[in-house]
Amino acid sequence: MTAYTREEKDWLEREWAFRAWGRAGLLSTDDYRQVLAWEALGVPMDLVVAALNAFFDRREKREKPRTFVALKHLDRDVAKAVKLRESLLRAGPAMDAGNEWALVLPPLREDPAARAAFEAWQRLQASAPSPEAAGYLAHHDQEREARSALLALAEAALGPAAEALREELRQRLKAADMTEGSLVWKRAWNHHWARLVASAWSLPLGGA
């Protein structure tokens, strides 16, 4: 079992406050027990945060969302995120890496460099070795670099609109009581900035 670091736990608390708009970032005793359960199962924190976002994205679309929310309500989304990552690991390099590109909005969709970057990133995702393999960390770094290259092209295509998105995100992180420049701020910024850029183009990044 790999224990969550203090930084990862802080990240989860701040994400909770960020998505709940005004809810205190502190987790309840029951919430903490749920964190321990995921920790015992070895669920990576990035998948927990991805599940949190999936839960709140779905909740915001409901006419009458439930008033009380707790981390245990994310358990189904966490399980889905874990299964998705496992299926990507099993898919292998033969996966059709460009089959989702048609979802992307123009003009980014017509950019051959962006499409090539997307396909390169997806192929790296699909060919990832087991976490126990000797080359796993090097492959993970390659995948992260490919994703960053894709997002850089998508961000550049936004032009002046990118600054408005940055300011919106900056204000929301501050409202969630994150300290600008801190490790938690940087991690949350990278996570949500990628989601904003991807959403602007309907770029299918999934929970990555």
Side-chain angles (χ1 to χ4, degrees), residues 54-130:
F55 171 81
F56 276 102
D57 286 346
R58 189 170 62 251
R59 183 175 182 271
E60 288 171 359
K61 295 177 182 178
R62 293 174 178 165
E63 291 186 11
K64 295 181 179 180
R66 71 172 81 195
T67 302
F68 173 73
V69 290
L71 283 186
K72 64 182 179 181
H73 297 144
L74 311 182
D75 204 33
R76 185 177 299 176
D77 290 289
V78 169
K80 287 181 180 179
V82 170
K83 287 183 179 179
L84 175 60
R85 180 160 294 180
E86 289 174 348
S87 66
L88 285 172
L89 290 174
R90 291 193 301 267
M95 179 180 129
D96 181 3
N99 62 357
E100 292 183 298
W101 188 249
L103 300 173
V104 178
L105 298 175
L108 187 66
R109 187 173 62 211
E110 281 73 44
D111 184 347
R115 175 162 186 163
F118 177 77
E119 292 178 351
W121 169 68
Q122 280 213 325
R123 288 193 180 98
L124 282 167
Q125 268 202 312
S127 61
S130 165

Side-chain angles (χ1 to χ4, degrees), residues 11-38:
W11 183 30
L12 177 60
E13 289 189 350
R14 298 278 71 78
E15 291 291 335
W16 186 254
F18 179 88
R19 289 310 304 262
W21 276 100
R23 177 184 299 275
L26 298 176
L27 300 177
S28 70
T29 301
D30 286 342
D31 289 333
Y32 190 66
R33 289 195 187 99
Q34 182 63 67
V35 173
L36 292 178
W38 289 325

Side-chain angles (χ1 to χ4, degrees), residues 7 19 24 28 37 51 69 120 124 131 141 153 174 178 181 201 204 208:
E7 179 194 348
R19 289 310 304 262
S28 70
V69 290
L124 282 167
D141 287 341
L153 291 171
K174 287 181 178 179
M178 297 189 200
W201 294 111

